[in-house]
């Protein structure tokens, strides 16, 4: 199902080879040592010395992190570990105090959020940001990249952008079909349920043909029935050659889909490893328990 | 008292020169506020720099009329950049405060005595509109009758029996230009808001972070909306100045902007024809109340012990303020708005 | 009849836009010129001769300005006229500022003609200035701490009485009057800021709460004949009640309906128009004064001349601001208020009654705004749009201090007040608000979180 669902293939990741490449990418993680900052065979994202302080409070201080291309990497950690802040930094929604990172061969730490998205790293939000007073279809269409009609002068002349619009619409229809939102396409996005909005947000992100998808707590507030289908959708992204980095609390879910797990606590990357290695790691358990312990005292 | 006359006057005004000013100003505001969600509380300043740009160029510096128009539009662009650059990256209410402050700065600069020899200070300026009225194709001395339409030495009378519309030949020229401008702007905006460009604006209104995450340069779009809306505001300023053949700084007070908002909300924000309908209704209501009341006082229907002529204006504006509050509470989508869409407003 | 109404409607069309700022332009006289003569302290100037002549130079009428400074000459027809103010009939020391006592005007309806009056250097004519002129050029604009702008909310009229005492004295006077003005802004700003902090609403009607206080005190003082201090207390209590009623009757209900913040901001504009025009309707457009403390004999400290009323109102305002600050820090309700401002849903979940806290904030905010209105009116009289003009200074103060923090609002208000007054050392007094608003925009550009605010954490 995933193969035919990708309407436009990335030039550097043809579908035919994607399967083999992905399997190789996942396999390569087996040789990576489970320690923070471990180098990967083919990293799509490489961050060094990323630090963000709010006044005196250091929210994020990550020495080094590499994300393997074509895998699903989970970023976990207790509340207040700095996961979302780190996410915001990587996607340009916040400015680091210092640090640099390279995304797909390009320096990305000076990019603004929209430039990051154009470069191929597209994010979703913990609290879904559906454009409520626009139709589901318009929500999808606004996601499409490089639209001629989005330029002011071209927008005035429909013939200039009508053809591209039709192609985008066809692509949106395919994605809506795949995410089972096709019947809702003329509804306002604000009329969708919470789970449907998560699906819409993910589908909308795919309109940009991203290389890497950043999901901020994709399961938060989603009912259990929808969870399984969301998980399948995330796995499909990997099958299509995309890299996924997601923030999550739920260890079960991480176990089910993640190829690799990075753990943050108190703003720092404390360890990395496969899901099995992480479950057994004493430091992770301490970090979580410690956080709970603190929370109980407060 | 003469109800027919009051009604005729109000209808005459409802599509007359002043209404055009409100319609144009609100069309610009509709792009900024209605479609993009920008809280521009300085639309009066755009009208002011337009009007003064024209008046200063022509009356104070003796430049040709068309150059005055270009200077007025240029000033509006500069004003939009000055307001937008500091605030468009910030939260929505910051733009509101900066624009209202900028509008007040503009008004106070124009009424300052420091350069009153050019601007006329609080008296404002006149004698810049002659080149415009020289182009007037409606002759001041035409007299003819064609059914219920007649010209009486340059004065157009459209007699519908129950009521009539009357315009001087100067009014007709202003209206011809004003309505043509409205048609042009509505045509342009109609194309724009139904294009992918307009879709991005609506997305920014809903959630600019989301739009940013989809690779759109939100700041650039907001700036475009602010500039274009401001340019239309400057055009409203031209029409205002030409219709009255004078400019006065205090006409461009913050209340002027607020009336644009009333007009926009009355008609329905983010509806293409909302501003035009809202302006007609606003100005009709104002005139029917104001003139009805003064007629009633003059004819002794209402005793001057209850209200006198000076109190009519405040009373009508009080009623309009009340109407605006009630409208926003009970029919926030305006006349043309869509209730279903509005229920989703969670901001 | 028909012709008269036609003219009237033309006058109304013109009146509409002038109304917001110049309500005294009455429209029933079809043709005419009129105006109000006020000195720099917005005090009426009576007994000045004004002559109106037609284009041919034939005198039509000569009138004298009345006790309230007004004058009017009705005319039979439109056209060009020459209006001349006889400078020899001006009180000593006053001149027409722009040097144009003769104005040519074109009359098409009833028209306001303004003669801006200014203080001229005249040694030793005033009670405070017994020193000879030290710096002629600078003192030309001395006394110019007051704005030339007749519509502006003004304070510190007494300072206009000192003339040429040299730069340092002038700076001291401006500093003191700036602090006073700052305290007046602060009274209004603290309320605005607390409402913003607890509800997120930018209330454009807050300035009209200031006007409300001034008007209520005037009502008690002039209509009911109570002494000003009793009227002041009554006005503050009524202002608090008005704040309570507004929240009870309008805002709390809107919040319950889930009305958006932007909609509410625009509703607050409607409320502002409503209050302002109701005031204009019942009260008229003129500046009115209380029957006490108008021409108070100032205290002369040599380096500073100040009216006792300024000192008293300033100290009370300072005391109230400190009391509010202490209450916010130390009382249970104050802590609850800050908790709500910090995070309403968290505060609600810890058992704080958010609705009640917001109601209290509105009540206190209304009372403080009314107090500001009363104090400003004691100095400058009451005008229906005084609050509207103060509101921008209040916004500037709140933004300067960082949106939503009461302490920031106070500091911002003091800085704005001092800046506005001190800026007249270098710029024309009529532009002093322009300077303050320009600073507001520069602050936005460089430090949007305000001078005291912390950079917000995203996500």
């Amino acid at each position: 199902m995933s193969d035919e669902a990708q309407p436009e293939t990335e030039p550097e990741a043809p579908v035919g080879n994607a399967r083999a490449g992905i399997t190789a990418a996942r396999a390569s993680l087996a040789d990576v040592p489970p320690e923070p900052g471990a180098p990967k065979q083919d990293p799509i994202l490489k961050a060094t010395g990323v630090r963000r302080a709010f006044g005196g409070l250091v929210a994020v201080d990550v020495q080094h992190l590499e994300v393997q291309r074509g895998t699903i990497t989970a970023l976990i950690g207790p509340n207040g570990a700095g996961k979302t802040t780190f996410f915001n930094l990587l996607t340009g929604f916040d400015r680091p105090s210092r640090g640099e990172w390279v995304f797909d061969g390009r320096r990305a730490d000076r990019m603004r959020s929209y430039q990051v998205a154009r470069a191929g790293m597209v994010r979703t939000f913990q609290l879904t940001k559906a454009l409520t007073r626009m139709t589901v279809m318009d929500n999808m269409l606004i996601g499409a990249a490089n639209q001629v009609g989005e330029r002011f002068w071209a927008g005035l002349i429909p013939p200039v952008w009508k053809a591209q619009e039709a192609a985008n619409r066809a692509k949106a229809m395919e994605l809506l079909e795949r995410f089972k939102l096709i019947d809702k396409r003329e509804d306002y996005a604000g009329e969708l349920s919470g789970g449907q909005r998560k699906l819409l947000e993910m589908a909308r992100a795919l309109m940009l043909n991203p290389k890497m998808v950043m999901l901020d707590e994709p399961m938060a507030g989603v009912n259990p029935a929808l969870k399984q289908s969301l998980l399948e959708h995330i796995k499909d992204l990997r099958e299509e050659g995309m890299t996924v980095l997601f923030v999550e609390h739920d260890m079960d879910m991480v176990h089910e889909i993640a190829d690799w797990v990075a753990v943050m606590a108190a703003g720092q990357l404390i360890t990395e490893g496969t899901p099995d290695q992480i479950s057994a790691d004493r430091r992770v358990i301490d970090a979580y328990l410690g956080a709970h312990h603190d929370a109980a005292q407060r | 008292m003469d109800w027919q006359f009051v009604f005729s006057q109000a209808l005459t005004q409802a599509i007359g020169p002043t209404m055009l000013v409100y319609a144009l100003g609100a069309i610009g505001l509709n792009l900024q506020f209605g479609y993009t969600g920008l809280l521009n509380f300085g639309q009066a300043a755009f009208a002011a720099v337009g009007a003064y740009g024209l008046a200063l160029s022509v009356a104070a510096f003796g430049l040709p009329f068309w150059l005055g128009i270009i200077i007025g539009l240029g000033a509006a662009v500069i004003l939009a950049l000055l307001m937008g650059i500091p605030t468009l990256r910030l939260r929505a209410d910051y733009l509101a405060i900066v624009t209202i402050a900028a509008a007040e700065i503009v008004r106070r600069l124009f009424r300052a005595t420091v350069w009153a020899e050019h601007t006329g200070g609080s008296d404002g300026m006149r004698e810049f509109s002659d080149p415009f009225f020289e182009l007037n194709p409606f002759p001041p001395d035409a007299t003819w009758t064609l059914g219920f339409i007649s010209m009486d030495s340059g004065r157009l009378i459209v007699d519908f029996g129950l009521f009539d519309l009357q315009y001087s030949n100067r009014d007709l020229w202003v209206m011809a230009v004003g309505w043509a401008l409205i048609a042009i702007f509505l045509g342009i905006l109609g194309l724009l808001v139904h294009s992918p460009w307009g879709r991005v604006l609506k997305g920014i209104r809903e959630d600019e972070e989301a739009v940013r995450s989809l690779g759109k340069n939100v700041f650039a779009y907001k700036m475009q909306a602010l500039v274009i809306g401001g340019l239309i505001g400057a055009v409203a300023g031209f029409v205002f100045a030409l219709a009255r053949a004078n400019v006065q700084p205090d006409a461009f007070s913050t209340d002027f902007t607020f009336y644009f908002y009333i007009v926009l909300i009355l008609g329905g924000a983010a509806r293409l024809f909302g501003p035009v309908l809202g302006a007609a209704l606003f100005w009709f209501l104002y005139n029917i109340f104001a003139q009805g009341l003064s007629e009633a006082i003059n004819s002794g229907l209402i005793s001057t012990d209850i209200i006198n002529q000076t109190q009519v204006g405040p009373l009508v504006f009080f009623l309009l303020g009340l109407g605006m509050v009630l409208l926003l509470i009970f029919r926030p989508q305006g006349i043309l708005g869509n209730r279903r869409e509005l229920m989703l407003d969670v901001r | 009849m028909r012709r008269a109404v036609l003219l009237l409607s033309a006058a109304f069309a013109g009146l509409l836009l002038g109304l917001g700022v110049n309500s005294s332009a009455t429209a029933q006289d079809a043709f005419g010129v009129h105006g109000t003569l006020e000195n720099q302290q917005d005090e009426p100037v009576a007994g000045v001769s004004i002559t109106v002549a037609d284009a041919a130079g034939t005198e039509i009428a000569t009138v004298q300005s009345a006790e309230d400074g007004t004058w009017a000459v009705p005319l039979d027809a439109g056209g060009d006229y020459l209006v001349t103010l006889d400078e020899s009939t001006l009180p000593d020391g006053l001149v027409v500022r722009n040097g144009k006592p003769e104005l040519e005007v074109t009359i098409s309806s009833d028209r306001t003609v303004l003669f801006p009056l200014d203080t001229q250097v005249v040694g030793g004519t005033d009670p405070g200035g017994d020193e000879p002129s030290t710096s002629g050029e600078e003192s030309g604009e001395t006394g110019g701490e007051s704005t030339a702008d007749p519509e502006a909310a003004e304070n510190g009229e007494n300072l206009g009485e000192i003339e040429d005492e040299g730069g340092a004295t002038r700076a001291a006077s401006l500093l003191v009057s700036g602090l006073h003005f700052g305290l007046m802004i602060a009274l209004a700003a603290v309320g605005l800021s607390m409402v913003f902090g607890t509800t997120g609403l930018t209330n454009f009607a807050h300035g009209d709460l200031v006007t409300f206080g001034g008007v209520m005190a005037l009502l008690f003082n002039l209509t009911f004949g109570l002494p000003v201090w009793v009227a002041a207390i009554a006005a503050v209590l009524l202002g608090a009640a008005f704040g309570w009623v507004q929240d009870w009757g309008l805002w709390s209900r809107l919040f319950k309906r889930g009305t958006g913040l932007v909609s509410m901001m625009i509703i607050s504009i409607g409320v502002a128009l409503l209050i302002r025009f109701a005031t204009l309707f019942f009260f008229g457009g003129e500046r009115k004064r209380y029957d006490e403390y108008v021409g108070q004999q100032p205290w002369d400290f040599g380096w500073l001349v100040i009216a006792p009323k300024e000192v008293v109102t300033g100290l009370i305002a300072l005391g109230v601001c400190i009391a509010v600050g202490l209450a916010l820090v130390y009382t249970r309700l104050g802590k609850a208020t800050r908790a709500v401002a910090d995070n309403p849903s968290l505060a609600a979940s810890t058992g704080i009654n958010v609705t009640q806290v917001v109601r209290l904030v509105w009540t206190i905010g209304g009372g403080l705004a009314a107090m500001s209105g009363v104090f400003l009116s004691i100095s400058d009289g009451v005008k229906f749009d005084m609050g509207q003009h103060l509101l921008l200074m209040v916004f500037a103060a709140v933004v300067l201090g960082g949106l939503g923090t009461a302490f920031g609002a106070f500091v911002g208000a003091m800085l704005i007040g001092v800046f506005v007054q001190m800026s007249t050392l270098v710029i024309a007094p009529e532009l002093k608000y322009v300077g303050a608003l320009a600073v507001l925009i520069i602050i936005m550009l460089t430090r949007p979180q305000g001078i005291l605010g912390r950079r917000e954490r995203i996500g």
Side-chain angles (χ1 to χ4, degrees), chain C residues 37 45 48 54 60 66 107 111 163 221 237 249-250 252 283 291 299-300 308-309 339 392 397 423 429 441 448:
Chain C
L37 293 180
V45 180
V48 180
D54 65 18
I60 292 169
I107 304 298
R111 172 124 192 250
E163 264 158 23
N221 176 231
L237 292 178
L250 183 65
S252 65
F283 169 85
D291 62 6
W299 290 335
D300 188 349
K309 61 184 176 185
L392 282 175
S423 67
I441 293 179

Side-chain angles (χ1 to χ4, degrees), chain C residues 427-442:
Chain C
I427 61 174
E430 63 179 348
L431 293 178
K432 63 184 180 180
Y433 293 110
V434 172
L437 294 172
V439 166
L440 164 70
I441 293 179
I442 293 167

